Amino acid sequence: MDFNTILTRLPTIEHLTGLAIMAGSTQVHYIPAVTGKLGSLRVYYALAKEFNGKLNRISAQKGLALFAEHTEDAKQNTGKHPNIDLLFHVIANDLEYHLVPQS
């Protein structure tokens, strides 16, 4: 299934202004609700809902599956897809972050 098809099955994000990724009280990453980031925001929001706000090895692997064809592009082009790169980083370093949707 391609990324655009997957997006149609994920929770809507119209009510969000963004999503913060937190390590304790420190924000390590932020995805704003702006053109070009809405797909990533929708994926991360779906992960927040499904995994009770936890971004860890298991939820990051699910995120890579949701990003579909963009995941392979991110593997080949480090830095091109920072929101996917973060998922690789979480898996490689066995990290756990908290996903905080913002309205």
Side-chain angles (χ1 to χ4, degrees):
M1 193 174 327
D2 73 330
F3 184 61
N4 287 332
T5 302
I6 290 168
L7 283 181
T8 65
R9 298 172 182 210
L10 299 180
T12 61
I13 55 168
E14 296 85 27
H15 62 290
L16 297 179
T17 59
L19 185 140
I21 294 101
M22 307 293 293
S25 61
T26 303
Q27 182 175 297
V28 296
H29 194 74
Y30 184 75
I31 304 170
V34 297
T35 302
K37 301 294 179 190
L38 296 175
S40 289
L41 180 59
R42 202 156 176 183
V43 167
Y44 274 81
Y45 181 60
L47 295 176
K49 289 183 66 102
E50 182 175 346
F51 294 96
N52 297 314
K54 290 183 182 175
L55 179 62
N56 56 25
R57 179 183 296 271
I58 294 168
S59 57
Q61 289 171 338
K62 172 74 180 262
L64 292 176
L66 293 174
F67 276 111
E69 70 273 11
H70 297 295
T71 297
E72 187 58 37
D73 189 44
K75 281 183 192 175
Q76 302 301 320
N77 299 287
T78 302
K80 182 177 178 184
H81 302 279
N83 297 319
I84 300 173
D85 292 343
L86 177 63
L87 298 175
F88 286 131
H89 181 70
V90 166
I91 293 166
N93 295 287
D94 199 21
L95 300 173
E96 184 167 315
Y97 294 133
H98 189 69
L99 302 171
V100 183
Q102 302 181 332
S103 302

